[in-house]
């Protein structure tokens, strides 16, 4: 048997998440190519936290060694002959990387050049890449970029209306993030409707602690809500999403905040947290039930913004076949789904209150039978998508 395992690494500044997936899909001589979308088998999954803190591993090298030990204990260490590739999640691919890419020294250098666009994420991702390459220099290693799925956006959606020379010199444009999730969920939604992704137009709402919307036409992204960085767009756990850029000038000139202080305010102390002191939608739900007004307002601002984006992307797509909810809030909060789509019947979107209220982890439809636009709940699986993209590059 040729090697069929892919180790997916998501290397952050203080944590290292991993999953080992077996990409063989019951291939036999008679049927060498079964369902290309069939779920791979998850062999191992885990997270090493508190990297660089007193309670955790000293650095990323030690963290990956911990992962290697955990995998070895299951008989699937880094030296396993079954391992076909290591796949690395990399947040920012700029305009250079638009598909999964085999990692070479040159690719590492180019990801490094993109650090100014993602100063928190790319360095941590790169550390994971470096350590993994040191441990298994002979093994194909693949970078899968969060921005890649959005690289198909037309200029009309990707460009900001600012001075062209400045924009081009500094790479200022809409890149978009959560790309592997939007790719995966839009495709699964098409399958849920019994259609080929190329036939279906989907609005994907990825609502986790970070949140983004995308408009996907026939499997191709045509617009997304996050921009140069993950700050733009929807209201998030701790990020403001859209605001008048002049708020920043005002805060620096009138309130005397430094650029770094504004950065922290908008990225870490805004969104749901800024509005009501909580960033967890479960807690906000509890507080609303107790009549808490700040929590209620936070919920209303959050769902109003969502509704605006759904309307906007209906206009962008023209014909919409489905709205798909995913990630922590999207998969679990019936209240958010209901409020976000409330009043959109004129757009052909009718959510079914009973179906919407049913909890579950399966892919499912929560629209009425008469709804012109299907409303779907599709649990995301970024690791599976990353592994699939990486495997498609290295499979024998
Ligand atoms: P994620 O980033 O996809 O892991 O999503 C995390 C967020 O999902 C948390 O901050 C919560 O706000 C939200 N969440 C998780 N479970 C639930 C739930 N049962 N109901 C409402 N929100 C939830």
């Amino acid at each position: 048997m040729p090697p069929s395992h892919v180790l997916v690494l998501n290397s952050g500044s203080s944590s290292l998440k991993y999953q080992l997936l077996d990409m063989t899909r019951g291939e036999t001589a008679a049927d060498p190519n079964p369902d290309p979308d069939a779920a791979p088998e998850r062999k191992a999954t885990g997270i090493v936290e508190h990297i660089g803190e007193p309670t955790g591993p000293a650095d990323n090298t030690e963290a990956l060694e911990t992962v290697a030990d955990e995998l070895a204990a299951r008989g699937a260490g880094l030296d396993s002959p079954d391992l076909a590739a290591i796949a690395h999640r990399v947040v920012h691919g700029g305009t250079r990387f638009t598909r999964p890419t085999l990692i070479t020294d040159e690719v590492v250098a180019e990801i490094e050049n993109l650090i100014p666009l993602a100063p928190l994420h790319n360095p941590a991702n790169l550390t994971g890449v470096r350590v993994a390459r040191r441990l298994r220099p002979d093994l194909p290693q693949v970078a899968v970029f969060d921005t890649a799925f959005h690289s198909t956006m037309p200029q009309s959606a990707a460009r900001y209306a600012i001075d062209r020379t400045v924009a081009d010199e500094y790479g200022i444009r809409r890149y978009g993030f959560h790309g592997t999730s939007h790719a995966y969920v839009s495709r699964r939604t098409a399958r849920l409707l019994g259609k080929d992704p190329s036939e279906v137009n989907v609005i994907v709402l990825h609502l986790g602690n970070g949140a983004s919307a995308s408009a996907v036409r026939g499997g191709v992204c045509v617009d997304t809500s996050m921009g140069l960085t993950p700050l733009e767009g929807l209201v998030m756990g701790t990020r403001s999403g859209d605001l008048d850029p002049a708020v920043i000038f005002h805060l620096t000139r009138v309130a005397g905040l430094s650029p770094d202080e504004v950065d922290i305010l908008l990225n870490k102390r805004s969104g749901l947290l800024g509005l009501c002191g909580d960033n967890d939608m479960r807690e906000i739900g509890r507080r609303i039930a107790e009549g808490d007004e700040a929590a209620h307002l936070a919920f209303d601002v959050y769902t109003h913004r969502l509704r605006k984006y759904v309307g906007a992307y209906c206009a962008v797509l023209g014909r919409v076949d489905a709205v798909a909810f995913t990630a922590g809030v999207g998969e679990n909060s019936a209240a958010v789904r209901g409020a976000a789509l409330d009043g959109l019947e004129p757009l052909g979107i009718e959510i079914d209150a009973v179906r919407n209220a049913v909890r579950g982890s399966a892919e499912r439809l929560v629209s009425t039978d008469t709804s012109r636009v299907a409303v779907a709940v599709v649990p995301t699986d970024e690791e599976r998508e990353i592994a699939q993209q990486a495997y498609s590059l290295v499979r024998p």
Side-chain angles (χ1 to χ4, degrees):
M1 284 287 283
S4 61
H5 291 184
V6 175
L7 176 63
V8 179
L9 294 180
N10 184 351
S11 180
S13 53
S14 70
S15 74
L16 175 60
K17 285 189 227 153
Y18 69 92
Q19 277 196 19
L20 182 68
L21 297 140
D22 183 354
M23 308 308 290
T24 4
R25 293 169 289 240
E27 289 161 32
T28 62
D31 183 10
N33 233 337
D35 178 5
D37 237 17
E41 188 192 345
R42 222 168 294 267
K43 295 287 205 188
T45 168
I47 178 167
V48 180
E49 289 180 288
H50 308 295
I51 300 172
E53 295 169 24
T55 51
D59 53 24
N60 286 71
T61 308
E62 222 178 281
L64 190 53
E65 278 163 0
T66 309
V67 171
D69 290 345
E70 289 178 13
L71 290 171
R74 296 162 192 252
L78 282 192
D79 54 357
S80 160
D82 294 330
L83 203 54
I86 299 181
H88 298 267
R89 175 190 183 212
V90 180
V91 167
H92 218 305
T95 47
R96 165 67 179 79
F97 297 107
T98 57
R99 42 178 56 87
T101 305
L102 209 54
I103 299 174
T104 60
D105 291 344
E106 188 224 335
V107 167
V108 170
E110 293 197 53
I111 297 173
E112 205 157 41
N113 290 339
L114 295 168
I115 286 177
L117 289 172
L120 293 180
H121 293 106
N122 273 25
N125 302 156
L126 269 176
T127 313
V129 169
R130 288 207 180 88
V131 177
R133 290 183 85 208
R134 207 157 58 227
L135 292 178
R136 278 301 305 269
D138 55 314
L139 196 68
Q141 311 227 4
V142 180
V144 178
F145 299 89
D146 256 27
T147 45
F149 182 63
H150 305 299
S151 66
T152 50
M153 276 186 293
Q155 289 272 319
S156 54
R159 279 254 167 204
Y160 292 118
I162 64 168
D163 183 284
R164 253 170 77 173
T165 332
V166 174
D168 291 344
E169 183 169 354
Y170 295 100
I172 294 173
R173 49 162 281 164
R174 177 182 309 288
Y175 293 98
F177 299 87
H178 293 142
T180 52
S181 180
H182 287 282
Y184 176 80
V185 171
S186 57
R187 211 175 55 239
R188 295 300 309 172
T189 303
R191 298 279 180 230
L192 186 64
L193 300 181
K195 300 228 165 95
D196 191 82
S198 66
E199 303 169 324
V200 174
N201 295 349
V202 189
I203 297 172
V204 178
L205 303 172
H206 176 109
L207 312 177
N209 203 18
S212 62
S214 69
V216 182
R217 175 180 290 134
V220 174
C221 179
V222 295
D223 205 350
T224 194
S225 61
M226 282 177 166
L228 175 78
T229 77
L231 181 57
E232 195 181 351
L234 301 174
V235 178
M236 312 183 208
T238 66
R239 296 187 202 125
S240 62
D242 294 337
L243 53 86
D244 179 347
V247 168
I248 297 163
F249 318 141
H250 195 82
L251 288 171
T252 51
R253 290 181 191 138
V254 180
L257 268 58
S258 70
D260 283 349
E261 285 169 333
V262 178
D263 190 331
I264 290 168
L265 177 78
L266 298 180
N267 273 295
K268 303 231 183 272
R269 291 170 42 211
S270 296
L272 294 171
L273 181 73
L275 285 164
C276 77
D278 270 305
N279 64 339
D280 192 316
M281 198 51 88
R282 285 164 289 200
E283 188 54 31
I284 290 170
R286 274 191 283 275
R287 285 174 54 187
I288 291 172
E290 290 163 3
D292 184 308
E293 275 180 31
H296 207 291
L297 179 63
F299 182 88
D300 286 349
V301 175
Y302 185 96
T303 52
H304 176 79
R305 183 81 52 85
L306 264 174
R307 202 154 50 237
K308 253 169 61 168
Y309 268 92
V310 172
Y313 287 173
C314 282
V316 166
L317 289 170
R319 189 200 84 219
V320 181
D321 299 296
V323 176
F325 287 89
T326 194
V329 178
E331 291 164 29
N332 294 298
S333 176
V336 165
R337 293 192 297 262
L341 301 184
D342 187 36
L344 298 190
E345 294 80 7
L347 297 179
I349 304 173
E350 295 171 16
I351 199 160
D352 182 294
V354 176
R355 288 175 188 164
N356 186 39
V358 176
R359 299 191 54 85
S361 57
E363 296 174 348
R364 58 200 187 272
L365 292 178
V366 297
S367 36
T368 64
D369 291 336
T370 53
S371 184
R372 193 149 45 78
V373 178
V375 181
V377 179
V378 176
T380 193
D381 193 341
E382 291 171 275
E383 285 78 13
R384 172 173 161 186
E385 178 69 20
I386 290 170
Q388 238 151 20
Q389 291 192 17
Y391 191 60
S392 68
L393 208 62
V394 303
R395 67 178 303 170

